[in-house]
Amino acid sequence: MILSPSLLSADFSCLAEELAALEAAGVTWLHLDVMDGAFVPNITFGPPLIKALRPHSGLFFDVHLMVEEPARYLRDFKEAGADLLVIHAEADRHAQRTLTEIRKLGLKAGLALNPGTDLSAARWLAPDLDLLLLMSVNPGFSGQAFIPQTYEKIRAARALLAEAGAAGALVQVDGGACPENAAALLDAGADVLVSGSAFFGHKPYDARLAAFMKAAEGRAVRPGLRAARAWRHAASNANP
């Protein structure tokens, strides 16, 4: 399992210190929720904040673009220091082209699906994916209750990816993940869990990470997850 804590729940008055604390605790990924106030009813941050954080952290920046027409901003996020860009199927009319462009930029490419979006939206895009993100809450705000139908959707996603010849793609779950449901999420087929308040609200971070990772004990590691554990930020990503 990989845990990707969501920056939205961190202390914004001392973000550099928060990132240093995450690395010291053993966290390797950071989830950055970019919201534009159009695709979702909230506005967060964009490339300038990510660029400001990049020199202070070696974390793998997992950037979730909850924005309309994300293709307009791909190079901006690459130059800011993103490592993975995840676009929403519902926000991009030409998702296959956008995913291809993300990979051409040297970044990992992901597709996100809202709770009400059928997995068929990812069927023909699977070969272009490094990661499929399943929203387990409606996007826009942190702290929402987990939608239980997500377990079955994860199982179906794993089957779809295998059938499409993309069994190595990761399945990420975003929303309501906590140590109490982590084991069930992993058993359903999740590889990466995004956690906001359920992580940042429980210091010290090393103990909280351990609580999440305990759910993975004794479970088989899929080849795609094994490969993803080696993903790291490359300094070259900061330049086009």
Side-chain angles (χ1 to χ4, degrees):
M1 183 191 83
I2 294 172
L3 184 68
S4 190
S6 174
L7 185 73
L8 277 187
S9 295
D11 184 347
F12 269 61
S13 70
C14 54
L15 287 180
E17 291 86 349
E18 286 276 62
L19 269 58
L22 292 177
E23 290 192 69
V27 171
T28 56
W29 284 35
L30 180 69
H31 191 79
L32 298 117
D33 287 305
V34 178
M35 305 183 192
D36 64 356
F39 179 65
V40 292
N42 197 7
I43 297 174
T44 55
F45 50 79
L49 178 68
I50 295 173
K51 186 175 182 178
L53 293 176
R54 185 75 275 179
H56 300 281
S57 176
L59 293 170
F60 183 85
F61 280 6
D62 160 23
V63 181
H64 181 187
L65 299 179
M66 287 178 269
V67 303
E68 296 284 357
E69 299 180 38
R72 296 176 292 172
Y73 309 111
L74 303 182
R75 184 165 292 277
D76 292 334
F77 281 102
K78 175 193 168 62
E79 293 174 354
D83 298 298
L84 162 69
L85 290 180
V86 181
I87 64 169
H88 267 265
E90 306 87 356
D92 194 321
R93 294 180 181 177
H94 306 288
Q96 195 280 334
R97 181 167 63 197
T98 303
L99 292 166
T100 299
E101 287 302 314
I102 291 171
R103 283 180 159 181
K104 284 182 178 178
L105 288 171
L107 307 179
K108 300 299 183 182
L111 183 76
L113 303 180
N114 283 340
T117 300
D118 192 80
L119 286 169
S120 60
R123 174 65 182 85
W124 302 109
L125 299 174
D128 302 297
L129 299 180
D130 296 298
L131 178 146
L132 177 62
L133 167 55
L134 303 180
M135 293 299 302
S136 44
V137 298
N138 287 292
F141 299 94
S142 61
Q144 298 180 69
F146 178 85
I147 297 173
Q149 297 94 310
T150 305
Y151 293 116
E152 183 56 34
K153 195 172 188 180
I154 296 169
R155 286 188 282 269
R158 285 252 70 103
L160 181 148
L161 291 170
E163 182 182 330
L170 303 179
V171 173
Q172 183 181 70
V173 178
D174 184 357
C178 60
E180 290 73 24
N181 64 14
L185 291 169
L186 298 180
D187 287 342
D191 300 300
V192 183
L193 303 184
V194 176
S195 181
S197 55
F199 179 84
F200 280 101
H202 299 268
K203 294 183 178 181
Y205 295 150
D206 57 348
R208 195 58 172 172
L209 176 62
F212 273 93
M213 298 307 294
K214 186 174 178 60
E217 291 181 357
R219 288 173 168 79
V221 179
R222 281 176 286 274
L225 177 58
R226 188 175 295 112
R229 284 176 173 172
W231 294 355
R232 293 290 184 271
H233 172 67
S236 60
N237 280 354
N239 298 301

